[in-house]
Amino acid sequence: MKDYLDGLNHAQKDAVINYQGPSLVIAGAGSGKTRVLTFRIAHLLKNGVKPYEILSLTFTNKAAKEMCERISLIVGSQTTKYLWMGTFHSIFARILRKEAEHIGFVSNFTIYDTADSKNLLKSVIKEMALDPNVYKISGVLSRISSAKNDLITAEMYQSNNQLIAHDRQSKMPELSRIYKLYVTRCRNNNAMDFDDLLLNTNVLFRNKPEVLEKYQEQFKYILVDEYQDTNFSQFLIIKKLSAKHRNICVVGDDAQSIYSFRGAKIENILNFRNDYPEYQLFKLEQNYRSTQNIVNAANSVISKNRKQIKKDVFSENDEGELIRVFELYTDAEEGYLVANKINDLRMSEHYHFRDFAILYRTNAQSRIFEESLRKKNIPYRIYGGLSFYQRKEIKDILAYCRLVVNKNDNEAIKRIINYPKRGIGDASVDKIEEISLQAGVSMWHFISNIDKNPELATSGRLMKPLLVFREMISSLTLRQDEYNAADMLIQIARESGMLKEMHSDQTPEGISRYENIQELMNAVQEFVSTFESTEEVPTLANYLQNVALLTDQDTEKGENDVVTLMTIHASKGLEFKNVFLVGMEEDLFPGELSTHSASDLEEERRLFYVAVTRAEKNLVLSYAKSRYKWGTLSARKPSRFIQEIDAKYLDWQAGESQNNRTFNQSFKGRTTIEDEKFAEQQNVTKQMNQTGDLQIPESQNSSFKTSAKLNLKAGDIVEHQKFGIGQVLQINESGSNSVAIVNFQNGGSKQLLLKFANLRVIKK
């Protein structure tokens, strides 16, 4: 064979050289699928196929670029530049520009990104005089996008009684009209959004069979990467284009189909054999990435799924370390442990920071790990997303907090004066800032005297929201010394309208923003609970100072040698020597909503499979027995996915404790599909004897409630949510600032400001 084939294993070589007819290449994690795609195209070119006769579709520009560079090394760049290789959207945009006149567009049409689409929808909703609080931009855009990806045009939408009934039930009866007007405005502007690139390609091929025939004839060989991630619109285009020559090769792994929320259809890859009965099946089953223990553990979990194409993934790498499992009491301890383990592994095994990744189910989980890494001076980056404290919703609510504490903060005012929307436009804000600067006063000073100043010719329409804004901030300011930081944050989130705004947005983005606000509340509650100063109280001002210091990044750290933090979805296609898979708790991973559906639960299991197979050398799983949820500490249960790993591949670092035995027993008889409740874990009764024969039982009530009236004295037995059971040693009376000195069985001696201590009296 040619030299370029010498480095392929037998299965890979078969998939490369057998290029006639339909081919399904099932590529297990780390099995070299990109290598197969690359060499298959090179082999086609080496065997006389013209580059413009090859269509290669990928999901990222990066993948297309890397493949093209590798092919160029074999056949030369003068050949590869004529390949039709790129993402679905880039290739179909290229076709649409050539054929634009057939569908009523001019070839120089603009492609709108999400921000452009939202701005246009905002104008449409305003033009139709609809309530923007009902017809939220993100929700409307999501519905239109879903319709387009299901090939439902605006005209079809308006005639679909089922969709119209659904809109009425959702209190958005005008959505079909919005869709129609939005499409009209796009056409008038000679513009397409991203979904139009797929939809209009389908429309083009449907309405102009002669155009379809031209491209069917041209593309004699079609190759598709990550086929399990294609949606219905993409599937139909591929099927149409390959109908003549039927030389279609799709590469993917049904075990890594994790994007159904984006419209991906796992059925596309599972049903390939039905669409192309004469197909050849190639299985790439050797994993070159991970140790044998990691590969075998992943196999033992994914085997529980019913909807799959069976394969036997194996590794010939070293057997490797067992997968370590850590049970922690709190999420804060989880963050502390991960940071410590990174330092330990780095020192003992001489790893770089870039060799570590922390993977989590949702973006909101990054906060606790960011804080732990900062405290250990470990450099990191958030991959595929912003740092927790740089996310818009976090910056917005912290801007409210800053303004409550310091009303001269003009930047905070400009950020939130019209968020959520309250009818104070940008022009008005600019005018207020201009007059304030001229007068040498803060914007707040001007706003607080707005009804006395003639400088700004405000209409009644503008005056009212300004007065409402002024009264809200003033009222919150008066309360900041009466409440702790956690209570103030909740009041700010509610009274500002932010909580309501995000709770009503049920798009994936809206839910993520809502979860991030919840996580911030958890952080503030933790700050209050662990605040130990006897000279100060955990006020909002103290918390803001803490955050300001915490988010001061060390700019001298090298940008490349950093620990990576990312969601599991973002990690697909990547690999790291050491992976920490955190938050392995039921209702977090798998997510609470996913356990109600067999198909959703199987996708969560595929997501877990993706996470496990990112690791090359070491994999650590961790979960917390308790975690803050909306500022309240709640009991947690370990994820079913840990139990689904064959026990011989696991190393319980704390040993076979009573908790672990109970955890294992709780799964006996449990099915992999049904959502059964966990058996209640039994706590081992702990006792301490500090006053002769006094036996103090540990509380087993997960719904912790503080005592309304304390009236404490030395000798009383109390309970704290973090430190556990303790005995009061001394009370230092000082009115509302009285301090108790308590000796806790787990936390040692603590000085607590009673009005913020949140104690529960056990025994007087």
Side-chain angles (χ1 to χ4, degrees):
M1 294 304 297
K2 311 280 194 307
D3 291 342
Y4 60 89
L5 298 177
D6 290 345
L8 300 176
N9 65 33
H10 180 73
Q12 291 172 335
K13 187 178 295 185
D14 277 350
V16 166
I17 64 177
N18 294 293
Y19 55 81
Q20 296 294 343
S23 298
L24 172 60
V25 181
I26 296 297
S31 62
K33 71 174 180 62
T34 303
R35 186 178 181 85
V36 166
L37 271 175
T38 300
F39 283 81
R40 185 167 172 126
I41 294 172
H43 192 63
L44 286 168
L45 295 170
K46 284 286 190 178
N47 280 272
V49 178
K50 303 292 189 296
Y52 56 81
E53 295 176 332
I54 299 173
L55 171 62
S56 177
L57 297 168
T58 65
F59 273 86
T60 66
N61 289 311
K62 178 183 177 184
K65 181 180 178 182
E66 289 178 354
M67 286 173 58
C68 195
E69 289 174 350
R70 294 185 194 181
I71 296 168
S72 294
L73 295 176
I74 300 173
V75 300
S77 58
Q78 290 301 310
T79 299
T80 55
K81 69 179 181 180
Y82 294 106
L83 286 169
W84 280 65
M85 175 180 286
T87 64
F88 283 87
H89 291 92
S90 66
I91 293 295
F92 299 151
R94 182 176 173 184
I95 290 175
L96 288 172
R97 290 202 188 280
K98 287 178 172 289
E99 315 296 342
E101 62 180 17
H102 292 295
I103 54 173
F105 282 82
V106 181
S107 62
N108 65 344
F109 59 81
T110 299
I111 299 175
Y112 280 167
D113 62 17
T114 301
D116 296 323
S117 296
K118 286 183 174 181
N119 287 334
L120 180 54
L121 273 174
K122 180 180 178 181
S123 299
V124 167
I125 290 170
K126 182 179 180 180
E127 180 181 340
M128 294 175 64
L130 297 173
D131 186 350
N133 293 318
V134 175
Y135 294 90
K136 295 184 179 297
I137 304 299
S138 295
V140 172
L141 183 58
S142 178
R143 295 279 281 273
I144 292 174
S145 176
S146 295
K148 288 182 176 181
N149 285 324
D150 287 335
L151 303 184
I152 301 173
T153 63
E155 292 78 12
M156 294 166 64
Y157 196 106
Q158 287 184 317
S159 61
N160 189 310
N161 293 331
Q162 186 176 355
L163 291 173
I164 299 301
H166 182 270
D167 291 343
R168 289 199 186 103
Q169 189 177 8
S170 303
K171 310 299 183 185
M172 292 194 293
E174 300 297 329
L175 204 145
S176 63
R177 288 182 56 218
I178 295 174
Y179 184 7
K180 176 65 175 176
L181 189 53
Y182 170 74
V183 170
T184 301
R185 291 287 179 272
C186 283
R187 189 172 291 275
N188 291 344
N189 296 341
N190 193 37
M192 298 185 197
D193 62 23
F194 270 44
D195 297 316
D196 285 329
L197 298 176
L198 301 179
L199 175 61
N200 286 337
T201 302
N202 272 295
V203 171
L204 172 67
F205 290 162
R206 180 196 67 191
N207 295 346
K208 299 294 179 180
E210 69 277 12
V211 175
L212 171 60
E213 186 178 359
K214 177 175 71 173
Y215 289 101
Q216 286 176 334
E217 181 60 37
Q218 177 180 336
F219 299 134
K220 292 182 171 59
Y221 296 89
I222 299 174
L223 302 95
V224 185
D225 192 14
E226 304 287 10
Y227 191 62
Q228 77 279 351
D229 294 333
T230 54
N231 60 28
F232 177 65
S233 186
Q234 292 163 329
F235 161 79
L236 201 57
I237 295 171
I238 295 165
K239 190 172 184 181
K240 288 178 178 178
L241 286 174
S242 62
K244 183 171 185 178
H245 297 290
R246 298 182 74 79
N247 293 320
I248 177 170
C249 173
V250 301
V251 181
D253 183 5
D254 56 291
Q256 298 185 65
S257 178
I258 59 174
Y259 294 118
S260 66
F261 66 95
R262 295 181 185 170
K265 305 288 187 183
I266 190 175
E267 292 77 15
N268 291 349
I269 194 167
L270 295 178
N271 295 335
F272 185 85
R273 60 184 178 181
N274 299 327
D275 298 322
Y276 304 91
E278 74 277 29
Y279 84 114
Q280 298 181 84
L281 176 63
F282 303 96
K283 294 183 180 181
L284 309 182
E285 297 173 307
Q286 182 172 355
N287 182 304
Y288 290 93
R289 174 189 302 155
S290 307
T291 63
Q292 293 180 31
N293 278 326
I294 291 173
V295 170
N296 293 336
N299 289 343
S300 67
V301 173
I302 202 62
S303 65
K304 308 296 190 299
N305 272 9
R306 296 177 182 177
K307 293 168 58 176
Q308 62 173 297
I309 299 172
K310 292 291 184 180
K311 56 184 176 297
D312 298 314
V313 179
F314 67 94
S315 172
E316 293 183 354
N317 295 334
D318 294 338
E319 183 178 1
E321 299 289 333
L322 295 175
I323 296 172
R324 280 164 280 185
V325 183
F326 287 90
E327 177 190 82
L328 294 311
Y329 281 99
T330 66
D331 51 350
E333 290 185 24
E334 185 180 30
Y336 181 80
L337 173 127
V338 169
N340 276 345
K341 291 299 176 185
I342 288 174
N343 269 339
D344 291 347
L345 272 172
R346 182 170 171 268
M347 297 301 293
S348 63
E349 303 295 333
H350 307 293
Y351 286 118
H352 299 285
F353 285 121
R354 63 177 174 269
D355 296 326
F356 296 89
I358 302 173
L359 306 184
Y360 35 76
R361 181 63 180 83
T362 66
N363 273 312
Q365 292 172 256
S366 75
R367 190 267 306 173
I368 195 71
F369 300 100
E370 290 187 64
E371 293 180 0
S372 297
L373 294 174
R374 287 192 184 105
K375 289 172 183 175
K376 294 288 184 181
N377 291 318
I378 297 175
Y380 70 90
R381 64 171 178 172
I382 303 291
Y383 185 98
L386 295 172
S387 167
F388 181 84
Y389 291 101
Q390 293 302 311
R391 292 165 187 160
K392 179 185 182 300
E393 58 275 12
I394 301 302
K395 291 176 73 68
D396 287 340
I397 198 166
L398 289 180
Y400 270 106
C401 294
R402 285 163 46 195
L403 187 56
V404 168
V405 172
N406 174 21
K407 292 195 288 296
N408 290 325
D409 190 336
N410 282 0
E411 294 305 309
I413 289 178
K414 289 191 291 183
R415 184 174 188 92
I416 50 85
I417 191 172
N418 198 40
Y419 179 76
K421 299 292 185 183
R422 51 176 61 94
I424 305 173
D426 292 343
S428 298
V429 175
D430 293 342
K431 188 70 172 177
I432 292 170
E433 183 179 25
E434 177 185 349
I435 295 174
S436 300
L437 289 172
Q438 291 175 352
V441 297
S442 68
M443 293 176 69
W444 177 258
H445 182 275
F446 182 86
I447 293 169
S448 63
N449 295 281
I450 190 69
D451 47 349
K452 303 174 185 176
N453 287 327
E455 290 95 330
L456 186 64
T458 58
S459 65
R461 181 184 58 81
L462 178 58
M463 179 68 75
K464 183 178 179 180
L466 282 172
L467 292 175
V468 170
F469 177 76
R470 182 183 72 180
E471 292 306 311
M472 176 188 64
I473 298 298
S474 297
S475 175
L476 289 167
T477 300
L478 292 174
R479 282 175 265 161
Q480 64 173 314
D481 293 327
E482 299 175 16
Y483 298 92
N484 63 36
D487 291 338
M488 277 304 300
L489 184 69
I490 291 173
Q491 293 183 54
I492 289 170
R494 287 174 177 165
E495 295 184 26
S496 67
M498 279 190 64
L499 211 56
K500 181 180 179 181
E501 172 89 2
M502 275 174 273
H503 186 264
S504 60
D505 183 0
Q506 291 301 301
T507 64
E509 296 82 4
I511 293 172
S512 178
R513 287 191 288 269
Y514 191 69
E515 290 173 342
N516 288 337
I517 294 297
Q518 173 187 334
E519 183 61 20
L520 180 66
M521 290 182 177
N522 295 342
V524 181
Q525 183 62 58
E526 182 181 342
F527 169 79
V528 171
S529 298
T530 57
F531 196 87
E532 298 180 9
S533 173
T534 58
E535 298 178 358
E536 298 180 16
V537 296
T539 62
L540 194 61
N542 280 328
Y543 176 71
L544 289 175
Q545 175 178 299
N546 179 69
V547 169
L549 295 173
L550 196 61
T551 58
D552 186 16
Q553 303 259 4
D554 184 359
T555 56
E556 295 182 4
K557 299 289 184 183
E559 292 184 0
N560 294 322
D561 191 22
V562 294
V563 174
T564 299
L565 280 71
M566 61 171 63
T567 65
I568 304 169
H569 280 101
S571 73
K572 187 167 175 291
L574 302 176
E575 56 190 49
F576 302 90
K577 288 185 172 63
N578 308 287
V579 169
F580 291 82
L581 181 50
V582 300
M584 287 301 304
E585 298 147 30
E586 201 72 4
D587 294 339
L588 185 55
F589 192 21
E592 184 175 4
L593 296 179
S594 68
T595 58
H596 303 308
S597 159
S599 61
D600 289 346
L601 183 55
E602 290 208 350
E603 177 150 335
E604 287 287 287
R605 189 174 287 109
R606 293 194 294 269
L607 187 61
F608 181 68
Y609 176 84
V610 167
V612 169
T613 54
R614 298 311 94 196
E616 298 178 22
K617 299 292 186 182
N618 292 292
L619 175 63
V620 176
L621 309 179
S622 63
Y623 64 92
K625 294 175 66 179
S626 61
R627 185 179 296 273
Y628 278 107
K629 186 174 183 179
W630 289 108
T632 300
L633 199 64
S634 60
R636 310 295 296 181
K637 300 169 185 175
S639 168
R640 68 187 72 191
F641 295 149
I642 300 177
Q643 184 269 344
E644 291 180 356
I645 299 175
D646 193 316
K648 64 185 177 184
Y649 304 122
L650 296 179
D651 175 13
W652 292 86
Q653 288 287 295
E656 183 63 16
S657 68
Q658 174 67 34
N659 286 324
N660 289 340
R661 285 197 295 272
T662 303
F663 161 57
N664 290 331
Q665 291 166 2
S666 73
F667 278 100
K668 287 183 178 178
R670 181 190 179 99
T671 65
T672 59
I673 299 299
E674 295 171 346
D675 181 32
E676 301 176 357
K677 291 185 177 179
F678 283 81
E680 290 296 323
Q681 294 190 28
Q682 301 296 316
N683 292 325
V684 179
T685 301
K686 295 180 181 178
Q687 295 182 332
M688 72 174 187
N689 191 337
Q690 293 185 334
T691 56
D693 59 353
L694 177 62
Q695 299 296 310
I696 306 174
E698 183 180 41
S699 169
Q700 298 194 21
N701 182 6
S702 62
S703 56
F704 186 89
K705 295 182 179 179
T706 59
S707 299
K709 294 183 179 180
L710 293 174
N711 298 322
L712 294 177
K713 62 182 184 301
D716 289 347
I717 306 302
V718 296
E719 183 179 14
H720 186 276
Q721 201 167 15
K722 177 178 175 62
F723 305 122
I725 304 294
Q727 184 177 40
V728 178
L729 302 180
Q730 182 180 334
I731 300 292
N732 297 325
E733 299 286 353
S734 182
S736 62
N737 292 319
S738 296
V739 172
I741 300 176
V742 184
N743 185 29
F744 291 100
Q745 60 181 10
N746 294 326
S749 182
K750 302 289 182 184
Q751 297 184 63
L752 302 174
L753 194 66
L754 283 178
K755 67 180 180 180
F756 295 128
N758 293 327
L759 296 173
R760 182 165 70 121
V761 177
I762 301 294
K763 184 178 177 64
K764 300 244 351 140

